[in-house]
Amino acid sequence: MSTIRVVWGSASAPTAMASYDAALAEAGVENYNLVSVSSVIPADVDVEAVGTAPDLGPVGDRLTVVEARATTAGPGQVSAALAWAQSAEGPGLFYETAGETDRDDVERRVREGLRAGQELRDWQFADPQVAVESEQAEPGEHTTAVVLAVYGESEPIC
């Protein structure tokens, strides 16, 4: 059975891209080429909230992800959230949201989005789970918050 790992991180740096890279490092996925997909969880997959990814393969490989990401130039606050629920039959959904807002706002919004997605499907879902990352941005710094669902192991990009 395959595993989808939910990871998260936040960081500040002198530029937006540097803060994003550092947030990915906090999540353990900074050395991969990320490929975003929409938010369907395949059947026969375990979803585990792990915080920081283990070694998922060689540097530079491709990782398939669902990503919630927000970056701001301080002062301010960024928050990212990922919610998920699986059905008894196996498949499920991820929903993501992020923005220059607080933890409570993104959690409320991601739960609303997940409920809307569940209503579109004729599946019996288990209780949803949510991962939220939020960080205060200091003046003169860029800050990024990320939450990612990482599908399996990395794959060669070439």
Side-chain angles (χ1 to χ4, degrees):
M1 181 174 289
S2 296
T3 301
I4 297 174
R5 293 170 184 87
V6 178
V7 300
W8 53 86
S10 58
S12 296
T15 69
M17 185 56 73
S19 73
Y20 176 55
D21 193 28
L24 292 177
E26 286 286 315
V29 294
E30 76 278 16
N31 290 325
Y32 302 101
N33 288 295
L34 307 181
V35 177
S36 292
V37 296
S38 62
S39 305
V40 177
I41 301 170
D44 299 324
V45 170
D46 284 332
V47 179
E48 298 176 1
V50 298
T52 303
D55 180 1
L56 296 173
V59 170
D61 271 7
R62 173 181 49 234
L63 268 183
T64 301
V65 302
V66 173
E67 180 181 38
R69 167 187 176 186
T71 301
T72 193
Q77 184 172 10
V78 288
S79 300
L82 187 73
W84 66 97
Q86 290 178 272
S87 68
E89 299 82 28
L93 294 174
F94 285 112
Y95 262 65
E96 66 275 11
T97 192
E100 294 181 42
T101 188
D102 64 34
R103 171 182 295 275
D104 292 342
D105 182 51
V106 293
E107 183 169 351
R108 178 189 55 75
R109 288 190 292 142
V110 79
R111 286 181 183 277
E112 288 173 356
L114 182 62
R115 273 193 300 275
Q118 289 172 314
E119 290 172 4
L120 295 173
R121 290 157 177 86
D122 191 25
W123 303 339
Q124 295 294 332
F125 286 92
D127 289 337
Q129 297 183 57
V130 178
V132 179
E133 182 71 5
S134 188
E135 188 69 33
Q136 194 67 36
E138 298 300 322
E141 291 193 331
H142 290 80
T143 301
T144 298
V146 295
V147 183
L148 304 100
V150 179
Y151 286 59
E153 306 284 322
S154 68
E155 300 174 350
I157 200 165
C158 299

